[in-house]
Amino acid sequence: MKYQIQALDIERKLPDNSYIVSKTDLKGRITYANRIFMDMAKYTEKELLGVQHNIIRHPDMPRGAFKLVWDTLSGGNEVFAYVKNLAKDGQYYWVFANITPDHDPSGHITGYLSVRRKPRPEAIAAIEPVYQKMLDIEKQHHARDQMDYSINYLVDTLNSMGVSYEEFILGI
Ligand SMILES: Cc1cc2nc3c(=O)[nH]c(=O)nc-3n(C[C@H](O)[C@H](O)[C@H](O)COP(=O)(O)O)c2cc1C
């Protein structure tokens, strides 16, 4: 089920000490959603289970940010990211997400787990212009190579600051 949602310029804030939790299979289809996820995203459990996690993808998020997430996860590593999400009612909410691969006893990745909390306003203020620039770059290029260009911008920006992606994300 694909929803046509009009993104509104209205923020819904995740309460302090509330954690949004979800699990997915290897393809990013939701297999578990906690109550706070449903409350924030305004979807029922029935609407969420079995569907792609991009159901809450916000148009302000650059594709390059998600490529980075998936590249890190498929390498077997955890990843941290600030994500602007789109609720079913059109409102948006920012989260600071940690996503980790789930493994079976023999070490194979069986799916992914994400826990998110409310980000500090200073962190959103730091990441928002970076995402905006990445999105602008993506809009200027063909779908085929837009992610390469936007990730190059991110890498160049981090290099000029002398920090890794993780140092930047955990430091803002
Ligand atoms: C465990 C897990 C949690 C995710 N959480 C989110 C999320 O909160 N918001 C989001 O937009 N994408 C999330 N994603 C990434 C989506 O699967 C997807 O890559 C992203 O929304 C971009 O959509 P697209 O690949 O169709 O462009 C998550 C992926 C995984 C594996």
Side-chain angles (χ1 to χ4, degrees), residues 68 126-127 130 134 150-170 172:
L68 208 91
I127 200 72
V130 177
M134 290 172 75
S150 76
I151 289 175
N152 280 349
Y153 163 76
L154 181 62
V155 170
D156 288 348
T157 305
L158 297 174
N159 283 345
S160 69
M161 294 165 74
V163 292
S164 68
Y165 170 78
E166 194 161 300
E167 284 167 341
F168 174 66
I169 290 297
L170 299 178
I172 56 179

XYZ file of all heavy atoms in Angstrom, residues 68 126-127 130 134 150-170 172:
212
model
N 24.214 5.517 2.648
C 25.244 5.370 3.683
C 24.794 4.379 4.759
O 25.554 3.517 5.207
C 25.457 6.748 4.313
C 26.806 7.023 4.894
C 27.678 7.636 3.807
C 26.672 7.987 6.060
N 22.562 21.423 13.004
C 23.835 21.122 12.331
C 23.630 20.220 11.109
O 24.283 20.401 10.082
C 24.802 20.462 13.320
N 22.720 19.260 11.205
C 22.579 18.277 10.119
C 21.641 18.783 9.014
O 21.816 18.420 7.838
C 22.095 16.898 10.657
C 22.398 15.766 9.677
C 20.635 16.886 11.024
C 23.806 15.359 9.541
N 23.223 20.293 5.936
C 24.002 19.287 5.202
C 23.059 18.463 4.325
O 23.309 18.258 3.129
C 24.785 18.367 6.183
C 25.534 17.275 5.426
C 25.741 19.191 7.042
N 22.807 18.216 0.243
C 22.846 16.914 -0.440
C 21.629 16.767 -1.359
O 21.745 16.293 -2.496
C 22.886 15.764 0.583
C 24.201 15.654 1.336
S 24.142 14.450 2.695
C 24.205 12.885 1.793
N 26.051 13.343 -4.051
C 25.697 13.879 -2.729
C 26.586 13.274 -1.641
O 26.971 13.960 -0.697
C 24.210 13.716 -2.416
O 23.864 12.414 -2.074
N 26.953 11.998 -1.808
C 27.859 11.389 -0.811
C 29.252 12.012 -0.931
O 29.916 12.258 0.079
C 27.878 9.851 -0.941
C 26.528 9.300 -0.460
C 29.018 9.236 -0.128
C 26.338 7.836 -0.629
N 29.678 12.307 -2.155
C 30.974 12.994 -2.325
C 30.990 14.330 -1.587
O 31.990 14.680 -0.957
C 31.267 13.247 -3.813
C 31.800 12.003 -4.477
O 32.131 11.035 -3.803
N 31.871 12.023 -5.797
N 29.867 15.038 -1.678
C 29.785 16.320 -0.958
C 29.943 16.095 0.544
O 30.701 16.793 1.225
C 28.444 17.018 -1.249
C 28.139 18.098 -0.238
C 28.792 19.332 -0.293
C 27.245 17.864 0.815
C 28.560 20.310 0.671
C 27.010 18.830 1.781
C 27.661 20.041 1.704
O 27.438 20.993 2.665
N 29.238 15.072 1.054
C 29.316 14.770 2.489
C 30.751 14.409 2.888
O 31.286 14.919 3.879
C 28.348 13.628 2.833
C 28.283 13.200 4.288
C 27.806 14.349 5.181
C 27.353 11.999 4.466
N 31.365 13.543 2.087
C 32.739 13.108 2.374
C 33.696 14.307 2.354
O 34.525 14.475 3.263
C 33.185 12.018 1.363
C 34.674 11.727 1.474
C 32.382 10.737 1.584
N 33.553 15.173 1.337
C 34.416 16.368 1.246
C 34.225 17.272 2.467
O 35.189 17.812 3.019
C 34.098 17.180 -0.016
C 34.587 16.479 -1.278
O 35.364 15.507 -1.159
O 34.177 16.899 -2.383
N 32.954 17.447 2.863
C 32.656 18.303 4.019
C 33.297 17.735 5.283
O 33.929 18.463 6.060
C 31.120 18.417 4.227
O 30.546 18.866 3.001
C 30.773 19.380 5.340
N 33.162 16.418 5.468
C 33.734 15.788 6.660
C 35.263 15.860 6.621
O 35.902 16.140 7.644
C 33.280 14.325 6.774
C 31.769 14.113 6.957
C 31.424 12.637 6.915
C 31.287 14.727 8.264
N 35.830 15.638 5.423
C 37.295 15.719 5.284
C 37.805 17.105 5.657
O 38.818 17.233 6.350
C 37.726 15.384 3.854
C 37.673 13.891 3.594
O 37.590 13.086 4.537
N 37.700 13.502 2.328
N 37.065 18.126 5.199
C 37.528 19.489 5.494
C 37.416 19.797 6.988
O 38.124 20.652 7.509
C 36.765 20.518 4.660
O 35.431 20.569 5.095
N 36.520 19.079 7.676
C 36.396 19.257 9.131
C 37.361 18.332 9.883
O 37.512 18.439 11.109
C 34.963 18.949 9.580
C 33.930 19.928 9.050
S 32.248 19.282 9.231
C 32.025 19.468 10.992
N 37.947 17.392 9.131
C 38.896 16.455 9.737
C 38.241 15.423 10.641
O 38.844 14.964 11.620
N 36.987 15.076 10.322
C 36.291 14.073 11.149
C 35.694 12.968 10.272
O 35.433 13.185 9.085
C 35.137 14.696 11.986
C 35.674 15.614 13.064
C 34.120 15.428 11.095
N 35.475 11.799 10.902
C 34.781 10.721 10.193
C 33.277 10.979 10.300
O 32.831 11.809 11.104
C 35.121 9.376 10.835
O 34.552 9.326 12.134
N 32.504 10.204 9.511
C 31.039 10.346 9.579
C 30.558 10.127 11.015
O 29.784 10.907 11.551
C 30.369 9.343 8.625
C 28.867 9.266 8.823
C 28.033 10.257 8.302
C 28.291 8.232 9.556
C 26.655 10.214 8.502
C 26.916 8.177 9.761
C 26.112 9.164 9.239
O 24.758 9.117 9.450
N 31.052 9.051 11.645
C 30.579 8.726 12.989
C 30.988 9.793 14.006
O 30.188 10.167 14.865
C 31.079 7.337 13.407
C 30.349 6.821 14.618
C 30.466 5.319 14.794
O 30.041 4.577 13.899
O 30.997 4.896 15.835
N 32.221 10.300 13.875
C 32.662 11.363 14.793
C 31.765 12.588 14.646
O 31.397 13.230 15.632
C 34.121 11.754 14.506
C 35.133 10.754 15.030
C 36.544 10.988 14.476
O 36.694 11.674 13.431
O 37.479 10.463 15.084
N 31.415 12.905 13.396
C 30.563 14.068 13.146
C 29.181 13.863 13.772
O 28.696 14.694 14.546
C 30.437 14.302 11.635
C 29.466 15.390 11.258
C 29.716 16.714 11.591
C 28.302 15.085 10.566
C 28.813 17.722 11.243
C 27.393 16.087 10.220
C 27.649 17.406 10.562
N 28.566 12.717 13.453
C 27.211 12.443 13.909
C 27.126 12.376 15.436
O 26.205 12.910 16.052
C 26.697 11.107 13.279
C 26.462 11.287 11.782
C 25.433 10.606 13.964
C 25.395 12.301 11.407
N 28.109 11.732 16.038
C 28.069 11.584 17.503
C 28.519 12.864 18.210
O 28.280 13.023 19.408
C 28.914 10.393 17.966
C 28.466 9.027 17.427
C 29.387 7.917 17.900
C 27.018 8.720 17.852
N 27.725 16.131 17.154
C 26.900 17.341 16.985
C 25.773 17.403 18.024
O 25.536 16.459 18.723
C 26.291 17.454 15.557
C 25.462 16.235 15.171
C 27.378 17.736 14.558
C 24.823 16.325 13.791
